[in-house]
């Protein structure tokens, strides 16, 4: 199963992936650019604060690079944006856990504080949710490509019924054909 084959590029969910990646990318770009505007030194850990979070030059550089990657993902859109959002979201969550353990230690070269850890968790969850939207759920609609992939028999049956209705409608243009009942399994 290849992720890029699962969802057509022009599917309505692609907008969610694009807007999510773009919004989060712009937030990270602003944070990183504010750090560069303050002319921070690369590995300074003296507690310089921007937008309520401690930062240094390397953290600003990482923020700009990740922000540009997310904005690039928003421009590409589709499955790429979704996969990128899930990956970056997971990396933000891992970063939050890692920096939670190295707070107030010499290994904290990015000058993370507790506000940075909380931001990393919140931003990671937000980005990951944008990436997983419409892909991970127990109650996906039947027109969703992920539902079709997980339930191939029901999807094939529904597609066959739709083709039969369309052919009946084409044969009798003045009449509405009776709907064909569709048997669906419960997804409980």
């Amino acid at each position: 199963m290849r992720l890029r084959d699962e969802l057509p590029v022009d599917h309505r969910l692609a907008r969610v992936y694009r807007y999510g990646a773009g919004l989060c990318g712009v937030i990270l770009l602003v944070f990183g650019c504010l750090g560069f505007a303050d002319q921070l030194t690369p590995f300074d850990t003296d507690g310089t604060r921007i937008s309520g979070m401690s930062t240094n030059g390397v953290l600003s550089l990482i923020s700009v690079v990740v922000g540009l990657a997310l904005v690039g993902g928003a421009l590409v859109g589709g499955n790429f944006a979704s996969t990128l959002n899930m990956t970056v979201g997971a990396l933000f969550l891992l970063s939050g856990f890692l920096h939670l353990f190295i707070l107030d230690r010499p290994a904290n070269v990015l000058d993370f504080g507790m506000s940075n850890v909380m931001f990393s968790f919140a931003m990671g969850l937000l980005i990951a949710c944008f990436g997983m939207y419409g892909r991970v759920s127990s109650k996906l609609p039947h027109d969703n490509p992920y539902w079709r992939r997980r339930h191939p028999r029901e999807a094939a049956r529904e597609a066959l019924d739709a083709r039969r209705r369309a052919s009946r409608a084409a044969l009798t243009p003045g009449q509405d054909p009776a709907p064909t009942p569709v048997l669906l399994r419960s997804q409980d």
Side-chain angles (χ1 to χ4, degrees), residues 78-151:
N79 293 336
F80 179 76
S82 173
T83 305
L84 180 69
N85 284 349
M86 287 191 290
T87 304
V88 170
L91 290 174
F92 263 84
L93 291 173
L94 288 173
S95 172
F97 281 117
L98 172 73
H99 284 94
L100 186 63
F101 291 116
I102 63 171
L103 283 177
D104 300 328
R105 292 202 170 90
N108 189 5
V109 295
L110 295 180
D111 194 28
F112 259 57
M114 187 51 94
S115 59
N116 297 70
V117 171
M118 298 307 292
F119 176 80
S120 185
F121 285 141
M123 185 61 84
L125 285 173
L126 181 67
I127 295 170
C129 284
F130 276 127
M132 290 186 284
Y133 183 79
R135 292 179 95 166
V136 181
S137 175
S138 63
K139 301 287 184 187
L140 294 174
H142 291 216
D143 69 335
N144 187 302
Y146 299 107
W147 182 88
R148 285 190 231 125
R149 179 72 173 188
R150 293 175 192 149
H151 305 92

Side-chain angles (χ1 to χ4, degrees), residues 145-167:
Y146 299 107
W147 182 88
R148 285 190 231 125
R149 179 72 173 188
R150 293 175 192 149
H151 305 92
R153 288 183 185 161
E154 290 86 359
R157 191 177 309 131
E158 287 181 7
L160 179 63
D161 290 339
R163 283 193 303 268
R164 286 179 182 163
R165 284 192 300 273
S167 66

Side-chain angles (χ1 to χ4, degrees), residues 33-46:
C33 289
L34 287 174
F36 285 140
D38 207 17
Q39 298 177 351
L40 300 173
T41 56
F43 291 102
D44 187 21
T45 58
D46 69 350

